[in-house]
Amino acid sequence: MRAFLVKKGTEVTAVNFKQSSSSKLDKKVIKRDTMYFIEDIGVDPLGKVGAGPNSNTIGGQWARQGLYGFKLPENTQGYELMLVHGADIEVH
């Protein structure tokens, strides 16, 4: 099983799609090492899972920028997706 590690101190972008007519994007810093898996991917710059670089969506635009989008569990701020640049992820 492939795992994606986002290390403590990594700057990410949290996305809330329901905040307004467009998405709300907030810069965040990861507080502890966090592991994600294939089923957590919503945006994929490789185009194998989720919105890829060939998608004509906002997810496709993020994928073309080299960003992975990981689906987040329900939280009090309403963030649904976390964008992380592929260079900031360790694949295990």
Side-chain angles (χ1 to χ4, degrees):
M1 174 175 279
R2 188 158 278 179
F4 302 85
L5 177 64
V6 181
K7 301 274 249 170
K8 176 182 177 179
T10 302
E11 187 174 294
V12 301
T13 302
V15 183
N16 182 332
F17 292 106
K18 298 174 186 159
Q19 187 68 21
S20 62
S21 59
S22 62
S23 328
K24 179 180 179 194
L25 306 174
D26 289 323
K27 295 287 185 187
K28 301 285 183 183
V29 176
I30 296 298
K31 294 180 182 175
R32 62 181 172 271
D33 290 357
T34 308
M35 190 82 63
Y36 294 96
F37 301 95
I38 295 285
E39 57 269 12
D40 300 318
I41 296 176
V43 175
D44 176 16
L46 302 178
K48 296 183 179 194
V49 185
N54 295 327
S55 297
N56 289 328
T57 64
I58 188 68
Q61 183 179 8
W62 290 328
R64 287 188 290 280
Q65 295 173 25
L67 298 171
Y68 278 87
F70 296 106
K71 299 172 193 168
L72 296 173
E74 193 170 314
N75 55 76
T76 57
Q77 290 84 22
Y79 296 117
E80 300 169 64
L81 195 69
M82 179 181 75
L83 300 172
V84 186
H85 195 277
D88 294 329
I89 298 171
E90 289 183 17
V91 180
H92 295 271

